[in-house]
């Protein structure tokens, strides 16, 4: 569940979205949307709750989900309000500048309440994913926490990528929501940047151990160019180096990593080590194409990539 956007990518670097330029798009986007698209591509049965406007950009997202089999039973089309959007400009140092339209778009109109919770439960969920990008708006954060709490109480595993927004750290309500979701998560999926904010000065072994003691089954740390490390409750720690690839567009790599791991780990057909290895490869494949979902990959794509690197 979360925000659905179309994204436009500036063709020139270092413009900071401040000067006229050519933009490519619309690309289907939104961290939760990238996640669910990738989960479907690697074989998971998927359902998404969100909203689009009754415009051409909304059709871009609905068509994308339809092409990979994501259930749209909980995707609303909101009349009179535009589909959410994002404009991204890349810089020579690797940083990015974004302009978002989320809070005042259809993206913020998430399905909430018992009807949505019952629909999720009836789908037979093994896991329910939330991205921290959804928590930037207080209404969306409240909806996400309510649904996660209810599904957790029904025995659904919660998957949480904190995706911490540093500009919101001074907001106690935002941080309370992040901590509440971490406390009920089966899959804890931070990046190095998240860990520096949430667990300052702690080693991976230290904070992962605390989460396992609290009930988390998996704790993974996305380390970008340094690869990844993860631990399974009662098991060993596994780590993989990053694959050396040309980075064309890094947006969505972390979401692909998380989606691949959660989908494979819940399938019952992959060991912890193999799920992590495939997730690491999916993240590498994700950066090879312009557009946040354009580098998403199937199991066959991932297997071929790993065979080529053997």
């Amino acid at each position: 569940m979360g925000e659905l956007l179309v994204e436009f990518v500036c063709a020139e670097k270092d413009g900071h979205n401040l000067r006229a330029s050519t933009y490519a798009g619309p690309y289907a986007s939104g961290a939760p949307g990238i996640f669910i698209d990738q989960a479907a591509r690697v074989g998971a049965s998927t359902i998404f709750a969100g909203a689009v406007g009754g415009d051409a950009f909304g059709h871009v997202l609905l068509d994308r989900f339809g092409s990979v089999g994501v259930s749209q039973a909980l995707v609303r089309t909101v009349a009179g309000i535009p589909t959410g959007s994002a404009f991204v400009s890349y810089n020579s140092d690797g940083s990015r500048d974004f302009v978002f339209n989320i809070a005042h778009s259809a993206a913020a109109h998430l399905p909430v309440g018992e009807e949505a919770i019952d629909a999720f439960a009836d789908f037979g969920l093994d896991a329910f994913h939330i991205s921290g990008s959804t928590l930037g708006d207080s209404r969306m954060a409240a909806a996400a926490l309510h649904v996660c709490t209810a599904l957790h109480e029904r025995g659904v595993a919660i998957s949480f990528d904190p995706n911490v927004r540093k500009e919101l750290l001074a907001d106690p309500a935002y941080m309370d929501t992040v901590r509440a979701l971490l406390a009920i998560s089966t899959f804890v999926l931070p990046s190095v940047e998240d860990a520096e904010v949430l667990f300052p000065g702690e080693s991976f072994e230290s904070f992962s151990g605390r989460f396992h003691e609290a009930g988390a089954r998996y704790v993974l740390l996305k380390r970008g160019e340094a690869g990844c490390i993860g631990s399974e409750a009662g098991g060993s720690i596994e780590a993989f180096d990053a694959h050396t690839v040309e980075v064309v567009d890094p947006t969505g790599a972390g979401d692909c990593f998380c989606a691949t791991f959660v989908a494979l780990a819940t399938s019952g057909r992959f060991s912890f080590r193999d799920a992590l290895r495939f997730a690491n490869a999916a993240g590498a494949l994700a950066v090879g194409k312009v557009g946040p979902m354009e580098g998403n990959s199937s199991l066959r794509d991932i297997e071929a990539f790993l065979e080529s690197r053997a």
Side-chain angles (χ1 to χ4, degrees):
M1 182 172 79
E3 69 279 6
L4 291 175
L5 314 171
V6 290
E7 186 167 309
F8 295 86
V9 181
C10 186
E12 300 177 12
K13 289 185 177 181
D14 302 313
H16 308 287
N17 292 313
L18 292 172
R19 58 175 184 251
S21 185
T22 301
Y23 285 75
Y27 294 110
S29 188
I34 299 168
F35 179 100
I36 206 70
D37 180 271
Q38 177 64 17
R41 286 176 185 274
V42 295
S45 177
T46 53
I47 186 170
F48 191 90
V52 299
D55 51 28
F57 293 162
H59 285 291
V60 169
L61 289 153
L62 296 178
D63 290 347
R64 179 71 183 222
F65 280 1
S67 71
V68 294
V70 176
S71 171
Q72 302 173 30
L74 286 172
V75 178
R76 296 172 170 174
T77 298
V78 184
I81 300 178
T83 299
S85 59
F87 294 79
V88 59
S89 177
Y90 290 93
N91 302 312
S92 298
D93 63 2
S95 63
R96 296 170 289 176
D97 294 295
F98 284 94
V99 174
F100 287 107
N101 173 32
I102 297 177
H104 300 291
S105 74
H109 290 248
L110 300 180
V112 295
E114 296 307 312
E115 182 178 358
I117 293 165
D118 289 342
F120 278 128
D122 290 344
F123 190 76
L125 294 181
D126 294 308
F128 182 79
H129 181 74
I130 285 291
S131 169
S133 63
T134 304
L135 309 180
D137 176 78
S138 60
R139 295 170 302 165
M140 295 171 71
L145 181 59
H146 175 65
V147 171
C148 283
T149 301
L151 292 176
H152 171 68
E153 291 173 352
R154 297 189 186 199
V156 175
I158 303 302
S159 166
F160 181 44
D161 176 358
N163 201 353
V164 171
R165 295 179 60 177
K166 294 185 178 180
E167 67 271 22
L168 295 176
L169 294 179
D171 181 353
Y174 168 76
M175 290 306 298
D176 286 347
T177 302
V178 170
R179 294 189 186 99
L181 288 170
L182 286 170
I184 61 173
S185 293
T186 297
F187 297 83
V188 179
L189 308 168
S191 65
V192 167
E193 293 78 12
D194 295 333
E196 289 173 350
V197 172
L198 297 172
F199 325 117
E202 277 195 83
S203 66
F204 174 78
E205 290 78 6
S206 174
F207 70 75
S208 63
R210 287 193 292 104
F211 280 113
H212 289 314
E213 290 175 1
R217 182 171 181 183
Y218 303 104
V219 182
L220 311 184
L221 183 64
K222 294 166 286 181
R223 303 193 293 186
E225 294 181 355
C228 64
I229 187 170
S231 61
E232 181 180 17
S236 61
I237 292 176
E238 300 284 355
F240 291 95
D241 293 332
H243 295 281
T244 302
V245 294
E246 180 186 2
V247 179
V248 176
D249 186 346
T251 301
D255 303 306
C256 281
F257 172 93
C258 293
T260 302
F261 181 82
V262 173
L264 300 189
T266 56
S267 73
R269 297 186 293 111
F270 290 79
S271 67
F272 166 63
R273 176 180 172 79
D274 281 345
L276 188 62
R277 184 169 66 96
F278 273 54
N280 190 53
L285 284 167
V287 305
K289 294 182 179 180
V290 175
M293 290 192 203
E294 303 316 299
N296 286 15
S297 52
S298 67
L299 275 180
R300 182 174 297 178
D301 295 330
I302 297 170
E303 289 168 346
F305 176 79
L306 288 170
E307 288 174 5
S308 74
R309 298 298 174 113

